[in-house]
Amino acid sequence: MAQATVTTTNLTPSPRAGLETPKRAPKQAQNSPLVSLIAGATAGAVEASITYPFEFIKTRSQLRSNGQSAGKSPLSVLRSTIAQDGLFAIYTGCGSLVAGTALKASVRFFTYDSIKQMLSDDRGKLSPARGILAGMAAGAVESAVAVTPTERIKTALIDDAKGARRFKGTTHAIGLLVREQGIQGIYRGLLSTTIKQSATSAVRMGSYNVLRTEYQERLGAPQAVGTFAIGAVAGTITVYATQPFDTLKTRAQGAQGEGMLVAARSILLDDGFKGFWRGSTMRLGRLVMSGGIVFTIYEQVAAQLRGLKW
């Protein structure tokens, strides 16, 4: 008697036609502390070197001249500076800012990436609120470690160059300020700088995080051009949201130095409420370029470093 052949079939239900498992956004790459430090320092140094003339003109326009508000347009400041002291005068204080920017950018990205990894979900994604929180913390740390002393020296050099010319250079300025005012003279404007830096970093890093996440989910990981555009938009948002903090910080860090309340009062007396936005045009020019440059270089250098075997 012949045996009956039984054909077994796969009883596992197959997905219905036309239905696919939703794709999850790729997990965002995480940077090690060393990668964050090196990539941040490189990005900061390059960005500061390229955009320094914008910073010089912005700072000069915010400072008083012989006790009075300068009241000059950015082009007037540029023309008068070149006419009086030559083209290279617009790089007065540049060395201090480049060194300081390299340090502060490395500290900023190290702090931001460290906090980001603690607050991110399993795909490395950071919510807008947590992105702002991480940026605020990064700004506070970089202010205390690097920004306040380097910005103080840069601002004092620019302020001194238009009048008394007591300072012969960065080293001489540091020594003279310490002798006359003590170590606190180098940290003049710490409170206003920390407020400004925390707000700036929170807006800048927070908006960049949101824009980059949206871009990556819709179009994939951004290349250099996309990163530059995202960084430029983040820079634009940052300028108008935080300019009053920057103007207040500059007044507090002039050659003589002013308390924060005195600086705020002098701005109001000189130019009224709109005076808090003095220098925003040149800062916009710098931060649009700065945002594009620093994030592009940071992402490119970090990507190269992640591919190395340490």
Side-chain angles (χ1 to χ4, degrees):
M1 179 175 178
Q3 289 183 331
T5 303
V6 178
T7 304
T8 59
T9 58
N10 186 0
L11 299 179
T12 304
S14 59
R16 288 181 296 169
L19 292 180
E20 296 181 357
T21 303
K23 293 182 178 179
R24 299 183 71 187
K27 184 175 181 179
Q28 297 184 11
Q30 302 290 335
N31 295 322
S32 69
L34 184 59
V35 167
S36 297
L37 287 169
I38 296 174
T42 303
V46 173
E47 175 269 320
S49 300
I50 293 173
T51 64
Y52 188 76
F54 291 96
E55 178 67 18
F56 175 89
I57 297 169
K58 183 270 299 181
T59 302
R60 177 67 69 86
S61 71
Q62 290 174 327
L63 290 166
R64 286 180 155 192
S65 179
N66 298 321
Q68 300 297 321
S69 177
K72 292 182 178 181
S73 69
L75 287 178
S76 296
V77 172
L78 178 63
R79 282 197 299 266
S80 63
T81 301
I82 293 176
Q84 292 175 14
D85 302 307
L87 179 62
F88 289 105
I90 62 175
Y91 280 90
T92 300
C94 181
S96 171
L97 189 71
V98 169
T101 303
L103 177 59
K104 77 178 183 182
S106 65
V107 172
R108 178 196 310 147
F109 281 105
F110 169 78
T111 305
Y112 182 79
D113 285 343
S114 297
I115 297 175
K116 178 182 177 181
Q117 289 182 30
M118 290 189 291
L119 300 179
S120 298
D121 61 19
D122 59 351
R123 290 180 294 153
K125 186 177 178 180
L126 202 64
S127 70
R130 290 183 175 186
I132 291 173
L133 177 62
M136 187 178 297
V141 172
E142 68 174 307
S143 174
V145 173
V147 179
T148 299
T150 55
E151 284 283 317
R152 165 61 166 152
I153 298 303
K154 177 217 68 176
T155 303
L157 285 167
I158 292 175
D159 195 14
D160 179 73
K162 64 181 174 58
R165 296 182 182 276
R166 299 169 62 235
F167 303 143
K168 298 176 182 179
T170 300
T171 303
H172 182 255
I174 294 172
L176 192 58
L177 288 172
V178 171
R179 284 198 299 273
E180 292 180 351
Q181 303 175 19
I183 192 65
Q184 64 266 29
I186 303 299
Y187 275 86
R188 175 78 66 179
L190 175 61
L191 177 60
S192 58
T193 302
T194 300
I195 293 172
K196 175 253 181 179
Q197 209 62 32
S198 296
T200 297
S201 188
V203 175
R204 193 179 195 185
M205 303 299 281
S207 59
Y208 178 80
N209 174 65
V210 171
L211 292 169
R212 192 182 191 282
T213 300
E214 287 297 315
Y215 187 106
Q216 182 164 333
E217 290 183 348
R218 295 172 185 273
L219 303 173
Q223 301 302 310
V225 174
T227 302
F228 189 98
I230 295 169
V233 173
T236 302
I237 295 170
T238 302
V239 169
Y240 291 108
T242 65
Q243 184 63 24
F245 301 116
D246 184 80
T247 304
L248 191 61
K249 182 269 304 178
T250 298
R251 281 290 181 91
Q253 291 186 321
Q256 299 303 315
E258 297 178 352
M260 193 167 71
L261 292 178
V262 174
R265 190 181 302 116
S266 70
I267 293 169
L268 287 171
L269 290 174
D270 289 341
D271 301 302
F273 190 69
K274 69 179 186 298
F276 285 98
W277 273 267
R278 180 174 291 281
S280 58
T281 301
M282 296 311 297
R283 187 169 178 238
L284 176 63
R286 184 190 173 203
L287 281 191
V288 167
M289 289 183 63
S290 166
I293 293 168
V294 76
F295 284 115
T296 301
I297 293 177
Y298 177 79
E299 298 285 5
Q300 295 297 315
V301 172
Q304 294 297 319
L305 293 176
R306 286 197 300 268
L308 297 177
K309 293 182 178 179
W310 297 90

